[in-house]
Amino acid sequence: MVRLLKALVFIIFISFVGLVGFAYLGDMDPEQQTVTQSLTLDVD
């Protein structure tokens, strides 16, 4: 039972380190582009 608990703690720790590493080193900036659309107003 202790081995299972140690393995679970190890997996949680590795997951946390991976998440923090991805947050600091991952490229999560969205690609931006300009979008234009013509609009015709029919006011009578």
Side-chain angles (χ1 to χ4, degrees):
M1 191 69 174
V2 176
R3 283 180 74 186
L4 184 62
L5 186 60
K6 283 183 182 180
L8 184 62
V9 170
F10 179 73
I11 290 172
I12 291 172
F13 177 73
I14 293 298
S15 299
F16 180 74
V17 169
L19 181 65
V20 170
F22 180 73
Y24 280 112
L25 302 175
D27 185 19
M28 295 185 290
D29 293 331
E31 295 180 14
Q32 296 181 355
Q33 60 184 358
T34 304
V35 177
T36 59
Q37 182 175 4
S38 61
L39 179 66
T40 304
L41 295 177
D42 187 22
V43 181
D44 286 330

